[in-house]
Amino acid sequence: MSGFLDRLMGKDHRSANQAKERLKLVLVHDRTDLAPGKLEALKDELIAVISRYVEIEPDAVRVEMEQEGRQQRLIADIPLRAAAQRRRRG
Amino acid sequence: MVAKVVTVSSGKGGVGKTTATANMAAALAAGGQKVVCIDGDIGLRNLDVVMGLENRIVYDIVDVVEGRCRLRQAMIRDKRLPELYLIPAAQTRDKNAVSPSDMVRLCDDLRTDSDWILIDSPAGIERGFRNAIAPADIVVVITNPEVSAVRDADRVIGLVEAEEKGPARLIINRIKPEMVRRGEMLTTEDVLELLAIDLLGIVPEDERVVVSTNRGTPIVLDGKSLAGQAFRNIARRLQGDSVPFLELDNQGGLLGRIKGLFRPGGD
Ligand SMILES: Nc1ncnc2c1ncn2[C@@H]1O[C@H](COP(=O)(O)OP(=O)(O)OP(=O)(O)O)[C@@H](O)[C@H]1O
Ligand SMILES: [Mg+2]
């Protein structure tokens, strides 16, 4: 019955779903040879390099692996700091 | 005749490669095709016992490669079916006794005189696997609906692509419909979404597989077995027929549908 309640509340603790979610993450890293820690390091370096050219919002930067079939794509979303904000600060 | 070479691989051991090879071969042969099976698992041969031909081995694949016999002498004919042959693996040698180019040469010799060449790959991704995929036109990857098997299958699918032998086609073996219904086993859709390749077939867990292996008779010849039906369907799909997949793990039945109503998003 608790499984039923979980489902009503949108949680799913059934083991098949856990297996699927865990596999999703494992496969992303297996396919690219990019350990989760390395992705963080890549993001930090990316922020440092781009900041030398343009002002960005470091906390809002997202670097993620995206799947398209068996194709993997590295997606970086790097919001620039608004010009108005720059003037206020500068 | 120009044979298609089909290699059956998996990464993880024990998921059903040998069972699938023997049964796809028997189903194709029962349909009048000329089929040659090659046991690629040198040092751990098993295709001979699964096919029930173990007592008739004289020469093996290493004897052929090293020139101790002619190719035809190493081909054991299965007398129960019109044209089914096995080239056994050597039991007392290791995988390095055969090279990928030996396999390509061997299959080229067989190609003009058969419809299908089925190669049973060993577990793992080393030499034996490389040997087995070298001559392949089609690579079939077998997995079970279980985390480590799916993970290893993904690795093999990637290697097959890298060798330009892809896209591989998937068989999901040993599905337990009752566990799937309870949400305690990955569904076919889950596995396909994770691995993102074409499905060749789904095979249920079936006690009769063990019984037929005990006897050394292929399960495709057992009209009552669901696994036998599944392997017959797979053989037809290999020949290009479009055959619907067995309904093993759907949410069918009244209970399944009622439960489905309460699941958010209906999944
Ligand atoms: N659908 C099934 N239902 C029940 N048992 C099965 C099924 N498929 C395979 N088996 C059993 O699982 C075991 C392993 O199968 P098999 O030897 O074909 O695997 P394999 O992948 O060739 O193993 P290896 O990696 O050691 O070569 C065998 O005992 C076999 O009878
Ligand atoms: Mg085997």
Side-chain angles (χ1 to χ4, degrees):
Chain A
M1 204 58 195
S2 76
F4 174 74
L5 282 178
D6 280 349
R7 255 171 271 156
L8 270 187
M9 297 187 322
K11 271 189 267 173
D12 203 337
H13 291 307
R14 292 176 308 166
S15 69
N17 276 291
Q18 292 183 14
K20 188 179 176 186
E21 292 312 313
R22 290 173 58 220
L23 271 166
K24 263 188 195 162
L25 290 176
V26 167
L27 295 189
V28 166
H29 295 292
D30 281 2
R31 284 176 191 172
T32 53
D33 222 356
L34 194 63
K38 272 198 200 156
L39 197 62
E40 273 305 301
L42 183 150
K43 180 174 151 184
D44 292 342
E45 279 191 54
L46 206 59
I47 290 173
V49 170
I50 293 173
S51 301
R52 289 213 293 272
Y53 295 89
V54 57
E55 243 189 293
I56 62 177
E57 299 277 5
D59 295 337
V61 171
R62 284 187 310 117
V63 179
E64 284 165 2
M65 208 70 79
E66 203 180 73
Q67 314 284 315
E68 209 182 288
R70 294 191 58 82
Q71 280 278 352
Q72 311 250 104
R73 188 167 303 174
L74 192 61
I75 302 287
D77 182 10
I78 305 163
L80 301 183
R81 188 157 282 173
Q85 231 175 319
R86 277 205 304 271
R87 275 196 300 277
R88 234 183 297 126
R89 277 159 42 100
Chain B
M1 269 200 263
V2 179
K4 282 220 171 73
V5 181
V6 180
T7 296
V8 181
S9 56
S10 69
K12 185 170 166 21
V15 299
K17 294 177 292 296
T18 302
T19 305
T21 306
N23 281 290
M24 291 190 297
L28 288 166
Q33 303 275 294
K34 179 168 180 182
V35 186
V36 182
C37 296
I38 302 177
D39 190 343
D41 206 345
I42 296 174
L44 285 171
R45 80 171 168 221
N46 267 328
L47 191 54
D48 56 337
V49 280
V50 174
M51 292 176 77
L53 298 174
E54 70 276 14
N55 291 328
R56 301 190 27 223
I57 296 179
V58 179
Y59 296 109
D60 59 50
I61 191 169
V62 177
D63 293 322
V64 176
V65 166
E66 295 182 350
R68 274 186 297 277
C69 71
R70 282 176 295 113
L71 181 54
R72 310 292 142 183
Q73 293 177 287
M75 289 167 62
I76 304 166
R77 198 171 91 85
D78 187 329
K79 292 171 184 153
R80 294 160 297 188
L81 287 157
E83 287 208 277
L84 176 60
Y85 299 84
L86 167 69
I87 299 177
Q91 184 68 319
T92 52
R93 298 290 296 271
D94 72 54
K95 284 167 182 145
N96 299 315
V98 174
S99 72
S101 54
D102 290 332
M103 290 297 285
V104 171
R105 223 172 305 125
L106 193 111
C107 287
D108 283 346
D109 286 347
L110 290 167
R111 257 182 226 270
T112 50
D113 189 36
S114 43
D115 297 301
W116 298 90
I117 300 168
L118 269 53
I119 304 176
D120 181 17
S121 166
I125 51 175
E126 284 87 40
R127 179 65 169 267
F129 163 73
R130 306 263 165 204
N131 284 344
I133 65 164
D137 299 311
I138 302 170
V139 180
V140 173
V141 173
I142 309 231
T143 192
N144 299 150
E146 178 257 312
V147 272
S148 49
V150 172
R151 182 189 200 175
D152 293 356
D154 189 72
R155 190 93 169 88
V156 165
I157 292 164
L159 291 171
V160 168
E161 263 170 24
E163 294 284 324
E164 296 182 343
K165 294 284 181 184
R169 302 178 71 182
L170 186 72
I171 295 177
I172 308 174
N173 185 28
R174 308 195 75 157
I175 296 171
K176 295 183 178 154
E178 194 273 329
M179 285 191 77
V180 173
R181 272 194 289 276
R182 276 190 281 129
E184 308 293 4
M185 180 172 267
L186 290 165
T187 66
T188 300
E189 292 70 30
D190 290 339
V191 176
L192 286 180
E193 188 188 325
L194 288 161
L195 296 179
I197 61 164
D198 265 5
L199 186 63
L200 180 63
I202 50 176
V203 184
E205 174 78 23
D206 187 342
E207 280 187 2
R208 287 168 189 263
V209 171
V210 180
V211 176
S212 79
T213 307
N214 286 342
R215 299 215 163 98
T217 54
I219 194 149
V220 288
L221 303 181
D222 175 347
K224 280 177 288 195
S225 157
L226 200 54
Q229 175 73 52
F231 284 120
R232 286 196 297 275
N233 289 352
I234 287 168
R236 287 183 55 199
R237 289 188 201 106
L238 272 178
Q239 295 174 90
D241 292 358
S242 83
V243 186
F245 294 103
L246 296 178
E247 296 205 359
L248 297 179
D249 56 0
N250 61 354
Q251 301 283 329
L254 186 59
L255 191 64
R257 261 175 279 143
I258 292 172
K259 274 193 204 149
L261 287 178
F262 290 106
R263 207 165 306 131
D267 80 20

